[in-house]
Amino acid sequence: TLNEADINLSIALVLRDELEKLGANVVMTRESDVTFELVDRITYLAASDPDLEISVHQNSMDLSSNVQKIRGFLGLYSADAGKALAKAVSSVVCDELNRYERPYAYQMLAVARNHRFPSTLCEMCFISNVEEYEWSMWEENVKRSGKALADGIIEYYKAQEAYLEY
């Protein structure tokens, strides 16, 4: 049985590998099962000054909800800079993984609040939903999830090309 942190890290490591294959310089807040306090993550991100930030998570609902009906991928952003990133990643991930796409949305999140670079928090699935939790534990789906996130980042950059003048 995997917990949320294990699933998140597994997906993030696949994402890192996919981006590095493309030539990206990837900086991660953690590469092993360690606790990284929120304030330390934010400080680290600010010091790293990345081109963009992806935060991988799993969503859940309390048991007073009908947890079997709540499902899907959710891309969140906290600054306008992250809106297009959340939209692109959400669309690609849901297409590639055949997942229900919840509308990407604004939410005041500390890790996605930086205005200097686009950032999004990706809720890959609802682990409170048994079917989605079991889906997320399969190694093949972890690999597919990391690859889909990388493809979503590529799609984001392709969309940004429309705003560049040559």
Side-chain angles (χ1 to χ4, degrees):
T1 302
L2 295 174
N3 63 32
E4 178 183 2
D6 295 332
I7 297 167
N8 297 343
L9 181 58
S10 296
I11 293 169
L13 291 172
V14 172
L15 173 58
R16 176 201 63 196
D17 294 347
E18 290 293 327
L19 293 174
E20 286 178 346
K21 284 184 213 172
L22 296 169
N25 178 25
V26 179
V27 177
M28 300 196 40
T29 54
R30 69 185 184 106
E31 295 187 48
S32 62
D33 188 18
V34 296
T35 301
F36 209 117
E37 297 300 325
L38 184 58
V39 68
D40 295 329
R41 288 182 203 181
I42 295 164
T43 301
Y44 182 71
L45 280 168
S48 299
D49 197 27
D51 293 331
L52 60 79
E53 179 228 350
I54 301 285
S55 189
V56 179
H57 293 266
Q58 306 297 314
N59 214 338
S60 66
M61 298 296 290
D62 64 44
L63 296 178
S64 64
S65 305
N66 186 344
V67 295
Q68 289 311 107
K69 291 192 178 208
I70 300 173
R71 61 188 175 83
F73 178 92
L74 175 61
L76 299 170
Y77 64 95
S78 294
D80 285 344
K83 188 174 185 178
L85 178 61
K87 178 181 179 181
V89 170
S90 179
S91 176
V92 171
V93 166
C94 292
D95 284 349
E96 288 188 15
L97 301 179
N98 194 28
R99 304 292 319 283
Y100 172 70
E101 183 176 9
R102 301 180 78 77
Y104 62 94
Y106 171 86
Q107 193 171 93
M108 186 53 94
L109 302 162
V111 294
R113 201 178 297 162
N114 196 310
H115 297 274
R116 293 184 307 169
F117 49 83
S119 56
T120 184
L121 187 145
C122 299
E123 299 280 12
M124 301 301 294
C125 74
F126 281 81
I127 60 172
S128 49
N129 177 314
V130 173
E131 181 180 322
E132 289 211 334
Y133 173 71
E134 289 177 355
W135 182 92
S136 69
M137 289 192 320
W138 292 6
E139 185 177 348
E140 184 60 30
N141 289 334
V142 167
K143 290 177 185 174
R144 291 176 60 225
S145 295
K147 173 82 168 81
L149 287 169
D151 291 345
I153 292 168
I154 292 167
E155 188 61 34
Y156 165 76
Y157 279 115
K158 285 180 181 175
Q160 296 308 300
E161 289 178 1
Y163 298 101
L164 298 176
E165 292 183 8
Y166 293 97

